[in-house]
Amino acid sequence: MRRKLVVANRKMHGTIPGNKAFLEGLLERTKEYRDSEYAVCLPHPYLYQAQSILTGTPIAWGGQNMSRNDDGPYTGSVSARMLVEFGCGYVIIGHSERRLRGQDSDNSVGERFQVATRAGLKPIFCMGETLEEFEQGLTDLVTIRQLNAVIQQIGIKNLAKGVLAYEPIWAIGTGEAASPEHAQTILHFLRGYLILKDTEVGNNIRILYGGSLKAQNAAQLFGMPDIDGGLVGSASLNTEEFVEICQAANLSS
Ligand code: 13P
């Protein structure tokens, strides 16, 4: 049985007092929703704050990217070891906001996946197609290409050490989420592909949906059999709304 997981991707947002209110509010308000799991991915400077507030609680935290390299002369970068030192359980890799700026490629995401898992982090590996690719019916092709690039580097068994996230680029930050049926179709297809490679991995791996996931559409999306939770951007900036999404996940667990 796959437990639902809801992850806040707060992107480049936040202040020290704002994070405090968010994290403490989340802890308080999700106390009764213990059938699902929750995590928050914050900008790197705030990870110490997350560690101070969340240590010993059921809420996990993580980074939004990490270097493929270990310690060394890489100005401006943060290593997997550093994320672990700040108590991170997760790290987002391959987000389209990085891929589209040329900061990540199919191959570099595979390398990051490997480095993250070696350090003991759970990568949240993002995949998804552009609007143009969606309109041309290329969603399957694009997501499988992204998935294969990682599997080639780490092997199918190691994929189980991470979490997958399908985030159609046309749904990110647009207010227009994929329909639950579309998201289910793609996630079912991806899971089926993995099951063919390794039944256990395919059946057990968590696949999240992301892209304009809100309080309003969370219950419908989470009601789909292959959707194991969500990666939430804009709606995670509002504590009340994020709590409602957590509640929807908990109810469908
Ligand atoms: P929005 O929820 O703002 O569409 O962002 C989704 C996302 O990119 C999560 O990683």
Side-chain angles (χ1 to χ4, degrees), residues 34-239:
R34 285 290 151 246
D35 293 329
S36 296
E37 293 171 29
Y38 315 107
V40 293
C41 290
L42 300 175
H44 294 151
Y46 297 133
L47 291 174
Y48 180 68
Q49 190 186 16
Q51 186 178 33
S52 316
I53 297 176
L54 299 177
T55 295
T57 76
I59 298 181
W61 61 99
Q64 299 173 4
N65 177 49
M66 42 149 263
S67 172
R68 286 174 274 173
N69 299 297
D70 297 328
D71 299 353
Y74 304 103
T75 305
S77 299
V78 164
S79 72
R81 178 193 62 76
M82 293 170 188
L83 296 184
V84 170
E85 213 176 350
F86 284 92
C88 290
Y90 291 96
V91 61
I92 296 173
I93 58 167
H95 194 281
S96 59
E97 285 157 11
R98 291 183 49 83
R99 288 183 192 256
L100 291 177
R101 290 203 306 265
Q103 295 165 321
D104 261 330
S105 63
D106 288 351
N107 282 341
S108 80
V109 177
E111 287 178 58
R112 281 182 224 284
F113 195 112
Q114 187 157 41
V115 171
T117 52
R118 238 197 265 128
L121 293 165
K122 244 185 192 312
I124 301 170
F125 158 43
C126 303
M127 295 168 283
E129 79 286 7
T130 63
L131 180 61
E132 204 180 5
E133 290 162 341
F134 172 68
E135 286 172 347
Q136 290 171 4
L138 297 176
T139 304
D140 295 0
L141 222 71
V142 171
T143 48
I144 288 295
R145 187 201 73 220
Q146 295 170 335
L147 188 54
N148 276 340
V150 170
I151 296 173
Q152 256 166 31
Q153 288 197 46
I154 59 158
I156 183 73
K157 286 283 182 208
N158 283 324
L159 196 69
K161 295 180 183 163
V163 175
L164 310 186
Y166 168 59
E167 296 207 303
I169 295 169
W170 45 270
I172 295 178
T174 60
E176 294 292 323
S179 69
E181 293 74 23
H182 170 78
Q184 165 60 23
T185 303
I186 303 304
L187 267 62
H188 186 69
F189 164 73
L190 293 172
R191 193 180 302 288
Y193 179 77
L194 294 175
I195 287 173
L196 284 178
K197 289 190 173 287
D198 186 303
T199 316
E200 204 186 331
V201 172
N203 279 322
N204 293 330
I205 198 160
R206 287 196 281 200
I207 315 183
L208 313 182
Y209 167 79
S212 297
L213 208 166
K214 306 177 259 220
Q216 200 194 333
N217 55 24
Q220 272 184 306
L221 284 159
F222 295 158
M224 293 290 160
D226 285 294
I227 301 183
D228 301 322
L231 188 51
V232 185
S234 324
S236 73
L237 299 179
N238 177 319
T239 310

